[in-house]
Amino acid sequence: MTTERPLLPAEVVRWLRKAQHVAVLTGAGISAESGIPTFRDAQTGLWARYDPRALASPEALANNPGLVWAWYAWRRQKVAQARPNPGHIALAKMERLVPRFTLITQNVDGLHQQAGSQHVLELHGNIMRTVCVAHRHPVSHWEPVAEGEAPKCPICGSVLRPDVVLFGENLPHDVFQQALEASQTCDAMLVIGTSGVVYPAAALPDIAREQGALVIEINPQATPLSDVADLTLRGPAGEILPALVRQVWP
Ligand code: OAD
């Protein structure tokens, strides 16, 4: 029986055990071990090969909806093949172990929900949902179109797009307000797998720390949020999160 080297100092374990409200902010890194490329990682980053402004922006949607549709169809296909990893599963377990748990994600892959997380705030939408450009009509079936074209809304005829936040677009207001309230009231915030460069999501850990929450970053790399964190755990979320849950809630 190998004794696991404790991941967390005793005072952090005590703090988490008595926390009434734990908030979590996740980014693309938590889905990396499910095979979904992150945005900015050098070796796998999607943006390394593509210019996001050319593919995931309102301008791209207006100028070339077919290209935006194809780009997201490719990403949707990768997401459809992906399964939750032990990091997602550990967070779903944690939700059942604390009195109040708020999972705020920048990811659009729906893997937290697939892992069993109940209360998920999707700041940037969900790639598996499709809406139309003109009225945001939710659409689940559409007429097939030629390669390079974007399908049309069966209700109003405008082109379809993924129900995700594109570069430069506003976040869903009510979702962000809930994320803000959770950051302002949590006793602890875990910041997992995000480069912490996209606002307003990246402001949430600072807001949590400002009101006295314990902030823990889980990421193999240092990020601008590392200085905000009280504790940084350098490693993959798929290994660290199960070990954290085992140590705090044996
Ligand atoms: P990034 O690709 O910017 O950052 C991914 C982070 O995950 C990096 O800091 C990696 O070091 C870390 N990482 C990689 N593998 C990991 C692992 N196994 N476990 C834990 N961390 C790991 O992705 P985000 O920060 O999520 O927004 O990007 C934020 C937003 O920028 C996205 O939501 C997207 C993009 O523009 C929109 O599309 C609106």
Side-chain angles (χ1 to χ4, degrees), residues 139-220:
V139 176
S140 48
H141 300 289
W142 49 82
E143 288 301 310
V145 291
E147 178 96 10
E149 298 280 311
K152 302 286 187 301
C153 175
I155 304 166
C156 70
S158 68
V159 290
L160 298 183
R161 56 167 286 173
D163 189 14
V164 298
V165 174
L166 299 179
F167 262 95
E169 288 186 323
N170 291 328
L171 275 59
H173 178 75
D174 60 320
V175 175
F176 185 70
Q177 287 308 308
Q178 291 174 64
L180 200 52
E181 186 274 337
S183 305
Q184 290 162 338
T185 57
C186 63
D187 301 304
M189 177 179 276
L190 306 185
V191 182
I192 307 166
T194 181
S195 56
V197 295
V198 173
Y199 284 78
L204 297 175
D206 218 9
I207 291 166
R209 185 180 164 100
E210 280 300 305
Q211 55 83 358
L214 175 78
V215 177
I216 300 174
E217 180 186 49
I218 297 172
N219 193 319

Side-chain angles (χ1 to χ4, degrees), residues 27-29 32-33 38-41 47 106 124 165 167 193-195 198 218-221 223 236-237:
E33 291 160 88
T38 61
F39 291 89
R40 295 171 182 83
D41 274 350
W47 295 161
Q106 301 170 88
H124 293 165
V165 174
F167 262 95
T194 181
S195 56
V198 173
I218 297 172
N219 193 319
Q221 316 268 338
T223 73

Side-chain angles (χ1 to χ4, degrees), residues 17-47:
R17 279 187 186 148
K18 67 177 196 302
Q20 292 305 299
H21 180 192
V22 173
V24 177
L25 172 67
T26 63
I30 195 166
S31 295
E33 291 160 88
S34 295
I36 298 180
T38 61
F39 291 89
R40 295 171 182 83
D41 274 350
Q43 70 282 14
T44 64
L46 290 170
W47 295 161

